[in-house]
Amino acid sequence: MQVILVANPKGGVGKSTLATNLAGMLAHRGEDVRVMLGDTDRQQSTRYWLARRPKALPTISSWDIEAGQPAKPPKGTTHAVLDTPAALHGGALKDLLKRADRLVVPLQPSMFDILATRDFLNELAEFKASHGLPIGLVGMRLDPRTRSAEQFLRFVQTTGLPLVSALRDTQNYVHLAAYGMTVFDVGTVRVEKDREQWQAIDHWVP
């Protein structure tokens, strides 16, 4: 089972958007892929998203929860995508990193987001060096025409971590999330650009 962790201690950077669409991408790979999407915090917001997901779409499971037993991925799960809460750090972070096969860090092109995330990325770089964990950055709500995007790209170069892809600023993610859907669940022209931006992520995640 591949465990893909989506983490950034800064709130509001698009962790849940990235995690749900990552799960949707994996679910569309075919019948041999069984995907679980779960939260590692108490709010369990992805469970509410999954409750809205139409039954006709490729299945994305949640935690297998039994009375008196710890939550675990359902039997046969091939890919587990884990969303994480804001302010994740210290022992809780290190424990999750040790369990992960890939770490995806969403970042927005805001100087406030960059400054708030800098120490976290430095810590990740050290963990990557000592444990070999593949870590990839994903830009969220990026408009390449703006100065903030230029500052964002310059900052990424200083981290020593790869920018796997940059997702554009669009309401498609917001509108589809309201129905438990992703950009991979609709076949309309309006998401064509979004799917193109996900191709690099698809290649990066085994």
Side-chain angles (χ1 to χ4, degrees):
M1 182 179 66
Q2 287 286 316
V3 178
I4 302 102
L5 188 67
V6 180
N8 186 328
K10 174 73 170 61
V13 294
K15 288 189 292 291
S16 294
T17 295
L18 187 58
T20 51
N21 281 270
L22 180 56
M25 179 195 78
L26 293 168
H28 278 271
R29 283 185 173 177
E31 296 181 357
D32 293 336
V33 178
R34 297 184 180 181
V35 183
M36 187 209 85
L37 172 65
D39 275 312
T40 60
D41 66 340
R42 296 179 180 179
Q43 292 183 352
Q44 297 291 304
S45 57
T46 59
R47 183 176 290 273
Y48 297 112
W49 180 85
L50 286 170
R52 294 175 175 269
R53 186 166 177 78
K55 300 298 183 182
L57 294 177
T59 302
I60 301 174
S61 302
S62 185
W63 293 108
D64 188 359
I65 300 177
E66 298 180 12
Q69 298 294 325
K72 59 183 181 180
K75 186 176 180 180
T77 298
T78 61
H79 293 76
V81 179
L82 302 183
D83 195 4
T84 59
L88 179 67
H89 58 83
L93 171 62
K94 290 183 179 179
D95 183 57
L96 287 172
L97 291 176
K98 291 176 181 178
R99 298 169 185 265
D101 296 292
R102 299 259 163 171
L103 171 63
V104 186
V105 182
L107 285 171
Q108 289 198 36
S110 157
M111 186 54 60
F112 295 106
D113 288 278
I114 289 173
L115 292 175
T117 310
R118 179 177 292 164
D119 291 341
F120 177 65
L121 293 180
N122 290 337
E123 184 178 358
L124 291 181
E126 294 177 3
F127 189 91
K128 178 182 179 181
S130 59
H131 292 77
L133 176 67
I135 300 172
L137 309 180
V138 174
M140 306 294 291
R141 303 183 65 181
L142 198 72
D143 184 346
R145 301 167 296 180
T146 62
R147 181 173 295 180
S148 61
E150 294 178 5
Q151 296 173 339
F152 171 81
L153 293 174
R154 285 199 297 269
F155 169 73
V156 168
Q157 292 176 349
T158 68
T159 66
L161 298 172
L163 179 64
V164 179
S165 187
L167 307 182
R168 66 182 184 137
D169 187 3
T170 172
Q171 287 296 301
N172 285 339
Y173 294 106
V174 177
H175 294 161
L176 291 168
Y179 300 96
M181 300 173 69
T182 73
V183 295
F184 301 95
D185 297 318
V186 291
T188 60
V189 175
R190 69 173 185 171
V191 298
E192 183 177 358
K193 291 182 179 179
D194 302 308
R195 290 191 185 183
E196 289 176 357
Q197 294 175 336
W198 275 87
Q199 289 179 3
I201 302 175
D202 193 11
H203 292 150
W204 190 75
V205 175

